[in-house]
Amino acid sequence: VSTITVPRIDIVKSVEMPGTVDGFATAALYSKVGGYLQEFATHPETGKPIDIGDRVTKGQVLARLSSPELQDSVTQKEALIDQANADVAQAAAGVEQSKAEVAGAQAGVDQARTELAEKDAQLRFRSVELKRYEELVKGNSVRRELLEQSQFQYESAQSARQTVEARIRTAQAEFAASQAGLVKAQADQRSAESRVKVAEADADYARTMLNYATITAPFDGYVTERPIDPGSFVQSAASNSAAMPVLTITQTDVVRVFLEVPMSDVQWLDRGDKAVLDRLTALPGETFSGTITRFSASLKRESRLLR
């Protein structure tokens, strides 16, 4: 009896179709601010201004725009910060002055109260003295002139006490006014400090806008387009569909190959399936291997093809 060995092998279904090779990432670099293109940066390898075909690295400066208005705005905002800081210093000095006025007013109140205690003592002494003279006059022991003199001194002591009481009220009013002045000075200081923060935020915004005048590379890649030359006016791309990119950068160390797969073959697709790219017109005889990394979740309505 003749026998054979039945091997277990994978059944492979191949789909062959044309595809499109694109860089893994492509970025058209627009300017967010308007200005004249001052220069393209010098390439560190060629020593010449950056141009089509140059390899660039992420963060590398590619071009600079001239925007005197933005620079003037930064200078103005920084000057406003200095002015706001000066206002803070002045407000802080006002707070210290108000504190000194409060302390002085408090000292005036304390002094007036001390004088009141002294006048109270004098008034009690004159009251006792007046009563003693009244008793002596009744007994005809002293002349009536001494009683009248004592009466006058007692009334003078009363007047002096009333004067000190008025002075206390005045000192207390000055103390209350100085406290109110201190509260206002402290509020002025907080307001000045807030103005510093506002001025710093405005300056940061102006610096950020000025930084947009410098074009940098978002990733490693090659310059594939340079549609404008130095001296050209670059329009802001913010809400401006007519703006042109300064440069276009494409990442080519990894590429994507896009295929339009017919509906009948969609069922066989899985991520990780082997893919072979050959018969490239630009690279005859070269063959590249890769894998299917992703595909869209729906067919195109018009062509019934899956990207």
Side-chain angles (χ1 to χ4, degrees), residues 94-110 171-186:
V95 169
E96 295 302 320
Q97 180 180 356
S98 296
K99 288 180 178 179
E101 292 175 355
V102 169
Q106 181 64 58
V109 172
D110 295 339
Q172 288 175 335
E174 292 176 351
F175 176 71
S178 62
Q179 283 185 317
L182 175 59
V183 172
K184 180 181 181 302
Q186 291 171 335

mmCIF file of all heavy atoms in Angstrom, residues 94-110 171-186:
data_model
loop_
_atom_site.group_PDB
_atom_site.id
_atom_site.type_symbol
_atom_site.label_atom_id
_atom_site.label_comp_id
_atom_site.label_asym_id
_atom_site.label_seq_id
_atom_site.Cartn_x
_atom_site.Cartn_y
_atom_site.Cartn_z
ATOM 1 N N GLY A 94 2.544 103.351 50.771
ATOM 2 C CA GLY A 94 1.328 103.945 51.326
ATOM 3 C C GLY A 94 0.781 103.135 52.485
ATOM 4 O O GLY A 94 0.267 103.695 53.467
ATOM 5 N N VAL A 95 0.897 101.806 52.397
ATOM 6 C CA VAL A 95 0.441 100.952 53.496
ATOM 7 C C VAL A 95 1.274 101.210 54.742
ATOM 8 O O VAL A 95 0.738 101.334 55.860
ATOM 9 C CB VAL A 95 0.514 99.467 53.082
ATOM 10 C CG1 VAL A 95 0.310 98.553 54.297
ATOM 11 C CG2 VAL A 95 -0.531 99.155 52.026
ATOM 12 N N GLU A 96 2.583 101.280 54.557
ATOM 13 C CA GLU A 96 3.458 101.543 55.712
ATOM 14 C C GLU A 96 3.164 102.903 56.327
ATOM 15 O O GLU A 96 3.151 103.059 57.556
ATOM 16 C CB GLU A 96 4.924 101.444 55.286
ATOM 17 C CG GLU A 96 5.358 100.056 54.840
ATOM 18 C CD GLU A 96 5.135 99.026 55.927
ATOM 19 O OE1 GLU A 96 5.379 99.334 57.114
ATOM 20 O OE2 GLU A 96 4.713 97.898 55.601
ATOM 21 N N GLN A 97 2.925 103.901 55.467
ATOM 22 C CA GLN A 97 2.592 105.227 55.974
ATOM 23 C C GLN A 97 1.278 105.189 56.748
ATOM 24 O O GLN A 97 1.150 105.800 57.824
ATOM 25 C CB GLN A 97 2.508 106.225 54.824
ATOM 26 C CG GLN A 97 2.161 107.640 55.268
ATOM 27 C CD GLN A 97 2.075 108.606 54.095
ATOM 28 O OE1 GLN A 97 2.348 108.231 52.951
ATOM 29 N NE2 GLN A 97 1.691 109.844 54.367
ATOM 30 N N SER A 98 0.294 104.444 56.223
ATOM 31 C CA SER A 98 -0.998 104.335 56.907
ATOM 32 C C SER A 98 -0.843 103.620 58.241
ATOM 33 O O SER A 98 -1.492 103.988 59.232
ATOM 34 C CB SER A 98 -1.997 103.596 56.014
ATOM 35 O OG SER A 98 -2.251 104.327 54.831
ATOM 36 N N LYS A 99 0.010 102.616 58.286
ATOM 37 C CA LYS A 99 0.254 101.930 59.561
ATOM 38 C C LYS A 99 0.862 102.888 60.582
ATOM 39 O O LYS A 99 0.505 102.863 61.768
ATOM 40 C CB LYS A 99 1.178 100.735 59.342
ATOM 41 C CG LYS A 99 0.527 99.566 58.617
ATOM 42 C CD LYS A 99 1.497 98.423 58.446
ATOM 43 C CE LYS A 99 0.851 97.228 57.754
ATOM 44 N NZ LYS A 99 1.803 96.109 57.561
ATOM 45 N N ALA A 100 1.799 103.735 60.103
ATOM 46 C CA ALA A 100 2.400 104.718 61.000
ATOM 47 C C ALA A 100 1.356 105.716 61.487
ATOM 48 O O ALA A 100 1.355 106.113 62.663
ATOM 49 C CB ALA A 100 3.544 105.438 60.284
ATOM 50 N N GLU A 101 0.453 106.113 60.588
ATOM 51 C CA GLU A 101 -0.607 107.042 60.995
ATOM 52 C C GLU A 101 -1.547 106.390 62.006
ATOM 53 O O GLU A 101 -2.001 107.046 62.957
ATOM 54 C CB GLU A 101 -1.381 107.504 59.760
ATOM 55 C CG GLU A 101 -0.564 108.399 58.828
ATOM 56 C CD GLU A 101 -1.317 108.731 57.560
ATOM 57 O OE1 GLU A 101 -2.424 108.177 57.382
ATOM 58 O OE2 GLU A 101 -0.809 109.532 56.749
ATOM 59 N N VAL A 102 -1.833 105.098 61.826
ATOM 60 C CA VAL A 102 -2.674 104.399 62.797
ATOM 61 C C VAL A 102 -1.983 104.356 64.156
ATOM 62 O O VAL A 102 -2.602 104.608 65.199
ATOM 63 C CB VAL A 102 -2.988 102.974 62.300
ATOM 64 C CG1 VAL A 102 -3.634 102.143 63.409
ATOM 65 C CG2 VAL A 102 -3.918 103.019 61.100
ATOM 66 N N ALA A 103 -0.683 104.033 64.136
ATOM 67 C CA ALA A 103 0.060 103.982 65.397
ATOM 68 C C ALA A 103 0.095 105.350 66.065
ATOM 69 O O ALA A 103 -0.065 105.480 67.292
ATOM 70 C CB ALA A 103 1.475 103.474 65.143
ATOM 71 N N GLY A 104 0.292 106.430 65.242
ATOM 72 C CA GLY A 104 0.304 107.778 65.802
ATOM 73 C C GLY A 104 -1.043 108.164 66.382
ATOM 74 O O GLY A 104 -1.118 108.776 67.458
ATOM 75 N N ALA A 105 -2.133 107.784 65.673
ATOM 76 C CA ALA A 105 -3.465 108.098 66.180
ATOM 77 C C ALA A 105 -3.751 107.337 67.471
ATOM 78 O O ALA A 105 -4.361 107.875 68.404
ATOM 79 C CB ALA A 105 -4.506 107.770 65.116
ATOM 80 N N GLN A 106 -3.313 106.087 67.526
ATOM 81 C CA GLN A 106 -3.501 105.306 68.748
ATOM 82 C C GLN A 106 -2.734 105.921 69.906
ATOM 83 O O GLN A 106 -3.225 105.991 71.048
ATOM 84 C CB GLN A 106 -3.034 103.866 68.514
ATOM 85 C CG GLN A 106 -3.215 102.954 69.721
ATOM 86 C CD GLN A 106 -4.673 102.770 70.099
ATOM 87 O OE1 GLN A 106 -5.465 102.313 69.283
ATOM 88 N NE2 GLN A 106 -5.040 103.123 71.321
ATOM 89 N N ALA A 107 -1.520 106.399 69.609
ATOM 90 C CA ALA A 107 -0.737 107.059 70.646
ATOM 91 C C ALA A 107 -1.426 108.337 71.120
ATOM 92 O O ALA A 107 -1.420 108.660 72.317
ATOM 93 C CB ALA A 107 0.663 107.382 70.122
ATOM 94 N N GLY A 108 -2.054 109.061 70.153
ATOM 95 C CA GLY A 108 -2.795 110.259 70.544
ATOM 96 C C GLY A 108 -3.972 109.944 71.447
ATOM 97 O O GLY A 108 -4.242 110.666 72.420
ATOM 98 N N VAL A 109 -4.674 108.830 71.165
ATOM 99 C CA VAL A 109 -5.787 108.420 72.015
ATOM 100 C C VAL A 109 -5.276 108.054 73.405
ATOM 101 O O VAL A 109 -5.847 108.458 74.429
ATOM 102 C CB VAL A 109 -6.544 107.240 71.372
ATOM 103 C CG1 VAL A 109 -7.571 106.671 72.341
ATOM 104 C CG2 VAL A 109 -7.221 107.676 70.080
ATOM 105 N N ASP A 110 -4.186 107.287 73.455
ATOM 106 C CA ASP A 110 -3.630 106.882 74.753
ATOM 107 C C ASP A 110 -3.169 108.097 75.563
ATOM 108 O O ASP A 110 -3.387 108.169 76.781
ATOM 109 C CB ASP A 110 -2.458 105.913 74.535
ATOM 110 C CG ASP A 110 -2.912 104.603 73.905
ATOM 111 O OD1 ASP A 110 -4.113 104.292 73.999
ATOM 112 O OD2 ASP A 110 -2.060 103.909 73.307
ATOM 113 N N ALA A 171 -9.187 112.414 68.915
ATOM 114 C CA ALA A 171 -8.149 111.412 68.688
ATOM 115 C C ALA A 171 -8.753 110.093 68.226
ATOM 116 O O ALA A 171 -8.213 109.418 67.341
ATOM 117 C CB ALA A 171 -7.328 111.217 69.963
ATOM 118 N N GLN A 172 -9.906 109.716 68.799
ATOM 119 C CA GLN A 172 -10.564 108.483 68.379
ATOM 120 C C GLN A 172 -11.060 108.589 66.936
ATOM 121 O O GLN A 172 -10.984 107.622 66.163
ATOM 122 C CB GLN A 172 -11.722 108.165 69.327
ATOM 123 C CG GLN A 172 -11.267 107.694 70.703
ATOM 124 C CD GLN A 172 -12.436 107.508 71.660
ATOM 125 O OE1 GLN A 172 -13.488 108.136 71.498
ATOM 126 N NE2 GLN A 172 -12.232 106.685 72.675
ATOM 127 N N ALA A 173 -11.574 109.758 66.570
ATOM 128 C CA ALA A 173 -12.006 109.954 65.188
ATOM 129 C C ALA A 173 -10.814 109.870 64.231
ATOM 130 O O ALA A 173 -10.898 109.256 63.148
ATOM 131 C CB ALA A 173 -12.710 111.299 65.042
ATOM 132 N N GLU A 174 -9.684 110.469 64.637
ATOM 133 C CA GLU A 174 -8.482 110.382 63.808
ATOM 134 C C GLU A 174 -7.980 108.944 63.714
ATOM 135 O O GLU A 174 -7.509 108.500 62.649
ATOM 136 C CB GLU A 174 -7.393 111.287 64.381
ATOM 137 C CG GLU A 174 -7.709 112.780 64.278
ATOM 138 C CD GLU A 174 -6.652 113.639 64.942
ATOM 139 O OE1 GLU A 174 -5.768 113.048 65.621
ATOM 140 O OE2 GLU A 174 -6.704 114.872 64.797
ATOM 141 N N PHE A 175 -8.118 108.198 64.828
ATOM 142 C CA PHE A 175 -7.703 106.794 64.817
ATOM 143 C C PHE A 175 -8.574 105.991 63.855
ATOM 144 O O PHE A 175 -8.083 105.165 63.068
ATOM 145 C CB PHE A 175 -7.784 106.229 66.231
ATOM 146 C CG PHE A 175 -7.461 104.765 66.316
ATOM 147 C CD1 PHE A 175 -6.164 104.315 66.145
ATOM 148 C CD2 PHE A 175 -8.460 103.830 66.559
ATOM 149 C CE1 PHE A 175 -5.868 102.957 66.209
ATOM 150 C CE2 PHE A 175 -8.169 102.480 66.624
ATOM 151 C CZ PHE A 175 -6.872 102.041 66.465
ATOM 152 N N ALA A 176 -9.898 106.223 63.902
ATOM 153 C CA ALA A 176 -10.811 105.520 62.992
ATOM 154 C C ALA A 176 -10.511 105.885 61.534
ATOM 155 O O ALA A 176 -10.520 105.022 60.639
ATOM 156 C CB ALA A 176 -12.254 105.844 63.338
ATOM 157 N N ALA A 177 -10.224 107.177 61.297
ATOM 158 C CA ALA A 177 -9.909 107.610 59.928
ATOM 159 C C ALA A 177 -8.609 106.978 59.445
ATOM 160 O O ALA A 177 -8.488 106.562 58.280
ATOM 161 C CB ALA A 177 -9.826 109.130 59.870
ATOM 162 N N SER A 178 -7.617 106.885 60.333
ATOM 163 C CA SER A 178 -6.346 106.278 59.941
ATOM 164 C C SER A 178 -6.508 104.784 59.662
ATOM 165 O O SER A 178 -5.881 104.243 58.752
ATOM 166 C CB SER A 178 -5.290 106.504 61.021
ATOM 167 O OG SER A 178 -5.673 105.877 62.240
ATOM 168 N N GLN A 179 -7.387 104.119 60.441
ATOM 169 C CA GLN A 179 -7.659 102.711 60.165
ATOM 170 C C GLN A 179 -8.325 102.534 58.800
ATOM 171 O O GLN A 179 -7.982 101.624 58.041
ATOM 172 C CB GLN A 179 -8.534 102.122 61.266
ATOM 173 C CG GLN A 179 -7.791 101.814 62.568
ATOM 174 C CD GLN A 179 -8.685 101.116 63.571
ATOM 175 O OE1 GLN A 179 -9.836 101.495 63.752
ATOM 176 N NE2 GLN A 179 -8.143 100.095 64.231
ATOM 177 N N ALA A 180 -9.278 103.412 58.510
ATOM 178 C CA ALA A 180 -9.925 103.358 57.197
ATOM 179 C C ALA A 180 -8.911 103.622 56.086
ATOM 180 O O ALA A 180 -8.932 102.984 55.028
ATOM 181 C CB ALA A 180 -11.066 104.365 57.127
ATOM 182 N N GLY A 181 -8.001 104.564 56.351
ATOM 183 C CA GLY A 181 -6.951 104.835 55.378
ATOM 184 C C GLY A 181 -6.044 103.635 55.171
ATOM 185 O O GLY A 181 -5.599 103.364 54.048
ATOM 186 N N LEU A 182 -5.766 102.894 56.245
ATOM 187 C CA LEU A 182 -4.941 101.697 56.130
ATOM 188 C C LEU A 182 -5.644 100.632 55.293
ATOM 189 O O LEU A 182 -5.028 99.982 54.438
ATOM 190 C CB LEU A 182 -4.615 101.154 57.523
ATOM 191 C CG LEU A 182 -3.841 99.824 57.566
ATOM 192 C CD1 LEU A 182 -2.508 99.950 56.854
ATOM 193 C CD2 LEU A 182 -3.646 99.374 59.012
ATOM 194 N N VAL A 183 -6.936 100.449 55.537
ATOM 195 C CA VAL A 183 -7.698 99.472 54.747
ATOM 196 C C VAL A 183 -7.673 99.844 53.267
ATOM 197 O O VAL A 183 -7.479 98.990 52.391
ATOM 198 C CB VAL A 183 -9.148 99.377 55.271
ATOM 199 C CG1 VAL A 183 -9.992 98.527 54.337
ATOM 200 C CG2 VAL A 183 -9.166 98.808 56.678
ATOM 201 N N LYS A 184 -7.855 101.127 52.979
ATOM 202 C CA LYS A 184 -7.827 101.579 51.587
ATOM 203 C C LYS A 184 -6.443 101.371 50.981
ATOM 204 O O LYS A 184 -6.308 100.937 49.829
ATOM 205 C CB LYS A 184 -8.220 103.048 51.512
ATOM 206 C CG LYS A 184 -8.222 103.603 50.088
ATOM 207 C CD LYS A 184 -8.604 105.063 50.060
ATOM 208 C CE LYS A 184 -8.633 105.596 48.632
ATOM 209 N NZ LYS A 184 -7.338 105.427 47.943
ATOM 210 N N ALA A 185 -5.395 101.697 51.758
ATOM 211 C CA ALA A 185 -4.034 101.520 51.241
ATOM 212 C C ALA A 185 -3.751 100.054 50.948
ATOM 213 O O ALA A 185 -3.117 99.719 49.937
ATOM 214 C CB ALA A 185 -3.021 102.073 52.246
ATOM 215 N N GLN A 186 -4.219 99.152 51.816
ATOM 216 C CA GLN A 186 -4.024 97.733 51.570
ATOM 217 C C GLN A 186 -4.797 97.273 50.331
ATOM 218 O O GLN A 186 -4.307 96.451 49.552
ATOM 219 C CB GLN A 186 -4.454 96.929 52.803
ATOM 220 C CG GLN A 186 -3.522 97.128 54.002
ATOM 221 C CD GLN A 186 -4.066 96.501 55.271
ATOM 222 O OE1 GLN A 186 -5.275 96.319 55.417
ATOM 223 N NE2 GLN A 186 -3.177 96.165 56.196
#
